[in-house]
């Protein structure tokens, strides 16, 4: 009986030790989430004094070269691309309170089809990433913007439970390691060191893989008219008011659409600019600015395509 109790005690202590070790593992092992840690750390650095900040997902990482903005516009000496893999609109907002006082302009990037939908609450895994990487949820950006982003999950969950729910960090580490070995077309080290042009793609995917991705992501039926979601537009108006109160200009850029995704019809793309041109928030429509050769897959942009897209952004930003 004593032996059984001893074994149970040791197992329990083992689980507790593993639980308490999770935050350290989260910060140490390579994973898909490490760029979040890198960006939070950089925003806490008092030497970071940006003029322009760009936020978006992996399309933004591949598509905007911040150095071109600096080289092309005299009014901006420092520009950084804070896009990250899978960065949602609400995830971008978590960084907003951390922006230094030097910030003059924020560029938020979004896909047109996502602008036509309601914004989902932050995924719990996204929130745990920020929690383990030292993000201060007391900044309460959800209260400033008067929107429910799902931040109550962090406030209402114990530290032990958050640790337990993040036990998949080792599986993510293994997945990341295997992908580093298998995907020779990716330079994933750039995720954790690049603030200007974090494009990780070395080469386009194969024609066969491209066809598979186009088949998967092309809308099932032709889309002929773009209709933005009213609640999402209202959210961006709140963001603009928030930045106005801080003396920061705010614009929203619409990602280019790969012409291979042909169910986003020419009529659909033409209607984007028409529908967004008279709104309170400045929207820059780049949906029709690139050709097929400017993409390395169904959505992500090649380095030459990024130069073109960034130049289009520069033209819109010129005084």
């Amino acid at each position: 009986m004593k032996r059984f109790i001893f074994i149970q005690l040791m197992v329990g202590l083992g689980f507790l030790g593993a639980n308490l070790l999770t935050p350290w593992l989260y910060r140490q092992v390579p994973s898909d989430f490490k760029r979040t840690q890198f960006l939070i750390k950089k925003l806490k650095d008092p030497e970071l004094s940006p003029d322009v900040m760009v936020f978006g997902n992996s399309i933004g990482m591949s598509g905007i070269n911040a150095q071109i903005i600096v080289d092309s516009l005299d009014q901006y000496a420092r520009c950084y691309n804070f896009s990250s893999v899978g960065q949602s609109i609400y995830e971008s907002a978590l960084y907003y309170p951390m922006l230094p006082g030097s910030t003059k302009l924020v560029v938020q990037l979004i896909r047109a089809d996502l602008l036509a939908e309601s914004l989902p609450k932050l995924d719990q895994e996204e929130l745990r990433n920020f929690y383990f990487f030292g993000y201060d949820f007391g900044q309460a950006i959800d209260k400033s913007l008067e929107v429910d982003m799902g931040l109550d999950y962090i406030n209402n969950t114990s530290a032990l439970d958050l640790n337990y729910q993040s036990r998949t960090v080792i599986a993510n580490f293994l997945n990341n390691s295997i992908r580093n070995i298998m995907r020779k077309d990716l330079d994933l080290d750039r995720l954790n060191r690049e603030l200007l042009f974090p494009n990780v793609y070395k080469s386009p995917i194969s024609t066969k893989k491209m066809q598979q991705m186009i088949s998967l992501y092309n809308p099932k039926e032709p889309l002929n008219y773009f209709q933005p979601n009213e609640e999402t537009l209202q959210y961006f108006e709140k963001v603009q008011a928030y930045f106005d109160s801080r003396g920061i200009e705010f614009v929203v850029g619409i990602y280019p659409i790969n012409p291979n995704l042909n169910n986003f019809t020419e009529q659909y793309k033409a209607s984007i600019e028409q529908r967004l041109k008279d709104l309170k928030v400045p929207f820059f429509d780049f949906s029709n600015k690139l050709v097929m050769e400017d993409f390395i897959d169904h959505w992500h942009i090649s380095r030459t395509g990024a130069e073109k897209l960034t130049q289009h952004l520069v033209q819109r930003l010129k005084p």
Side-chain angles (χ1 to χ4, degrees):
M1 184 65 179
K2 289 182 179 180
R3 181 179 177 84
F4 177 71
I5 294 174
F6 176 77
I7 292 174
Q8 282 190 315
L9 179 61
M10 289 298 99
V11 170
L13 288 174
F15 276 116
L16 179 60
N19 183 288
L20 296 176
L21 191 63
T22 297
W24 180 85
L25 284 173
Y26 224 95
R27 292 188 291 269
Q28 299 303 319
V29 302
S31 73
D32 289 338
F33 316 130
K34 293 292 282 187
R35 184 163 174 81
T36 301
Q37 181 183 29
F38 174 62
L39 298 182
I40 291 174
K41 182 179 179 180
K42 284 298 180 181
L43 283 171
K44 291 181 177 180
D45 184 349
E47 294 187 5
L48 186 80
S49 54
D51 294 309
V52 181
M53 296 290 284
V54 178
F55 293 98
N57 59 17
S58 55
I59 307 173
M61 289 172 57
S62 68
I64 297 296
N65 186 337
Q67 188 61 53
I68 293 176
I69 297 175
V70 171
D71 293 342
S72 304
L73 297 172
D74 294 337
Q75 69 266 37
Y76 302 129
R78 294 166 300 278
C79 176
Y80 301 116
N81 186 339
F82 266 57
S83 301
S84 60
V85 176
Q87 187 180 120
S88 67
I89 296 301
Y90 285 163
E91 183 178 344
S92 299
L94 292 179
Y95 295 111
Y96 293 169
M98 302 181 71
L99 297 183
S102 64
T103 309
K104 300 176 183 177
L105 169 68
V106 169
V107 180
Q108 177 66 64
L109 302 169
I110 188 173
R111 277 170 36 186
D113 55 320
L114 298 184
L115 185 56
E117 301 174 357
S118 297
L119 297 176
K121 291 182 182 181
L122 282 161
D123 181 84
Q124 292 182 355
E125 188 172 44
E126 288 179 288
L127 290 169
R128 290 196 299 271
N129 296 339
F130 278 78
Y131 170 80
F132 286 118
F133 294 144
Y135 180 79
D136 179 12
F137 285 92
Q139 297 170 111
I141 186 62
D142 56 334
K143 301 296 189 295
S144 299
L145 298 178
E146 299 178 337
V147 62
D148 182 8
M149 299 178 175
L151 302 192
D152 285 346
Y153 163 71
I154 292 294
N155 299 326
N156 298 333
T157 307
S158 71
L160 286 177
D161 198 7
L162 288 170
N163 290 351
Y164 176 74
Q165 293 179 35
S166 300
R167 61 195 181 280
T168 56
V169 63
I170 297 300
N172 190 276
F173 161 65
L174 293 173
N175 177 65
N176 184 273
S177 300
I178 293 170
R179 189 174 56 192
N180 272 340
I181 296 171
M182 301 298 293
R183 292 291 303 272
K184 299 301 183 183
D185 58 322
L186 299 178
D187 180 7
L188 295 177
D189 288 340
R190 292 176 65 83
L191 291 173
N192 306 321
R193 59 179 168 80
E194 184 57 59
L195 288 177
L196 296 175
F197 186 35
N199 187 324
V200 300
Y201 298 96
K202 298 179 181 178
S203 59
I205 60 175
S206 67
T207 301
K208 180 180 179 180
K209 184 66 174 177
M210 175 72 85
Q211 291 171 345
Q212 292 173 344
M213 300 302 284
I214 293 298
S215 176
L216 183 62
Y217 287 95
N218 206 18
K220 296 186 183 304
E221 300 292 336
L223 301 178
N224 295 310
Y225 182 71
F226 169 75
Q227 180 60 46
N229 181 280
E230 290 301 321
E231 288 185 2
T232 302
L233 290 180
Q234 290 171 12
Y235 166 77
F236 283 121
E237 289 176 5
K238 292 176 181 178
V239 174
Q240 183 184 44
Y242 168 79
F243 281 124
D244 280 348
S245 71
R246 296 182 57 186
I248 299 173
E249 185 181 358
F250 176 69
V251 301
V252 179
I254 308 298
Y255 288 124
I257 298 175
N258 189 331
N260 281 311
L261 296 169
N262 54 19
N263 277 345
F264 291 107
T265 65
E266 292 305 312
Q267 297 95 311
Y268 176 87
K269 286 182 275 190
S271 69
I272 294 174
E273 185 168 3
Q274 289 297 317
R275 185 63 183 82
L276 297 176
K277 67 178 182 179
D278 295 324
L279 300 178
K280 296 178 182 178
V281 179
F283 282 89
F284 297 167
D285 174 28
F286 304 122
S287 61
N288 208 16
K289 296 299 185 182
L290 299 184
V291 298
M292 286 182 251
E293 291 74 19
D294 294 324
F295 292 84
I296 58 92
D297 63 18
H298 58 300
W299 273 113
H300 298 98
I301 300 167
S302 68
R303 293 176 180 273
T304 55
E307 183 173 352
K308 294 179 185 178
L309 175 59
T310 308
Q311 288 293 354
H312 283 298
L313 176 59
V314 164
Q315 292 303 311
R316 296 298 301 268
L317 293 176
K318 282 184 176 179

